[in-house]
């Protein structure tokens, strides 16, 4: 049996800016069960479909502190898959600027300054503690994804001039979302929040 799932079998979908869950502070995971494993698998599949290297739970409308990374963006490289549950940065050093994009903000790319190295703590789905020092692209991806869990987007870190240059794209996305809301194609804020609270009760 293949582990790939067809789109119709999926329970998760990618959400885009300015969906309110992207601004939600995700809660620590206290219970790892079969459903959570299913979510993690679906997150990887969605990430590969959109050529991403990282995906946080908020981006699939889930309120949990967890994200997945595969720097190769290649679904055949299963050995490169990393899952971080309840991740934290315990130490930072240096700083470095590089271009970033985000699956929740299609067509936006901009330079972001981040710590060059980070000492991190997290848990694997089987409950093992990870205690790593990260640098390079993995350090950047980790910081980008951890931001998501705190309701922070990479566009929040831009310089005033970069901020100005991406503004029109954000405004278009905001307009699209407002239209979807008015047509009943997007769920109202109260519904989004009520669902997140329900999911939290189940697992945090
Ligand atoms: Zn992102």
């Amino acid at each position: 049996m293949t582990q790939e799932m067809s789109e119709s079998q999926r329970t998760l979908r990618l959400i885009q800016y300015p969906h309110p869950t992207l601004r939600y502070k995700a809660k620590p995971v206290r219970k790892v069960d079969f459903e959570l494993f299913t979510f993690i698998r679906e997150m990887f599949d969605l990430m590969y479909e959109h050529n991403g290297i990282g995906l946080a739970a908020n981006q699939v409308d889930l309120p949990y502190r967890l994200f997945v990374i595969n720097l190769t963006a290649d679904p055949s490289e299963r050995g490169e898959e990393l899952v971080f549950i309840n991740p934290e940065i315990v130490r930072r050093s240096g700083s470095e600027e590089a271009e970033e994009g985000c699956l929740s903000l299609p067509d936006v790319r901009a330079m972001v300054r981040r710590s060059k190295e980070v000492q991190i703590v997290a848990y694997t789905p089987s409950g093992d503690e990870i205690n790593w020092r990260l640098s390079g692209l993995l350090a950047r991806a980790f910081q980008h994804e951890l931001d998501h869990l705190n309701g922070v987007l990479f566009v929040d870190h831009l310089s005033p001039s970069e901020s100005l240059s991406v503004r029109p794209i954000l405004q278009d996305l905001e307009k699209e979302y407002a239209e979807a809301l008015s047509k009943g194609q997007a769920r109202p804020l109260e519904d989004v929040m009520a669902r997140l609270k329900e999911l939290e009760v189940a697992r945090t």
Side-chain angles (χ1 to χ4, degrees):
M1 197 179 85
T2 166
Q3 281 194 326
E4 305 297 331
M5 274 186 278
S6 77
E7 247 166 74
S8 60
Q9 287 172 295
R10 291 247 177 84
T11 51
L12 301 180
R13 65 184 183 91
L14 276 184
I15 55 171
Q16 288 183 353
Y17 177 90
H19 191 291
T21 303
L22 294 171
R23 291 304 189 185
Y24 193 76
K25 191 167 163 42
K27 303 296 183 294
V29 177
R30 304 264 174 245
K31 195 173 111 192
V32 176
D33 53 10
F34 178 76
E35 191 184 36
L36 198 74
F37 276 95
T38 310
F39 288 157
I40 290 167
R41 191 64 250 153
E42 285 190 37
M43 285 170 69
F44 275 116
D45 292 344
L46 281 167
M47 184 185 87
Y48 295 134
E49 267 169 35
H50 295 85
N51 300 309
I53 60 166
L55 190 68
N58 301 52
Q59 297 179 276
V60 289
D61 205 4
L62 291 176
Y64 308 131
R65 297 190 79 76
L66 98 88
F67 56 75
V68 302
I69 289 178
N70 183 340
L71 295 182
T72 70
D74 180 351
S76 67
E77 298 280 354
R78 285 277 168 105
E80 299 298 313
E81 292 184 345
L82 298 170
V83 181
F84 298 94
I85 296 178
N86 300 341
E88 279 177 56
I89 291 173
V90 292
R91 211 155 51 115
R92 300 172 174 270
S93 62
S95 121
E96 200 169 45
E97 207 178 32
E99 197 185 56
E100 291 186 21
C102 179
L103 297 184
S104 304
L105 288 151
D107 305 328
V108 182
R109 296 200 68 83
M111 298 298 283
V112 183
R113 183 161 289 283
R114 304 246 184 221
S115 300
K116 198 173 174 182
E117 284 187 12
V118 287
Q119 179 85 39
I120 66 104
V121 177
Y123 291 86
T124 67
S126 34
D128 297 320
E129 190 180 288
I130 303 169
N131 204 312
W132 290 345
R133 176 186 291 226
L134 311 182
S135 59
L137 185 57
L138 186 53
R140 178 165 295 273
F142 188 98
Q143 292 172 80
H144 177 116
E145 301 310 329
L146 184 61
D147 267 356
H148 274 300
L149 303 185
N150 294 321
V152 174
L153 299 170
F154 81 101
V155 289
D156 300 340
H157 296 300
L158 306 188
S159 68
S161 65
E162 286 245 81
S163 224
L164 214 57
S165 71
V166 304
R167 196 64 217 144
I169 309 178
L170 299 189
Q171 280 168 335
D172 282 348
L173 291 168
E174 285 161 17
K175 211 173 124 199
E176 273 174 41
Y177 194 77
E179 278 170 14
L181 264 179
S182 70
K183 289 180 192 155
Q185 291 159 351
R187 281 173 299 130
L189 183 63
E190 313 82 80
D191 292 8
V192 172
M193 290 301 143
R195 184 181 155 278
L196 292 177
K197 290 288 168 205
E198 244 172 66
L199 287 164
E200 274 174 32
V201 168
R203 197 162 285 105
T204 69

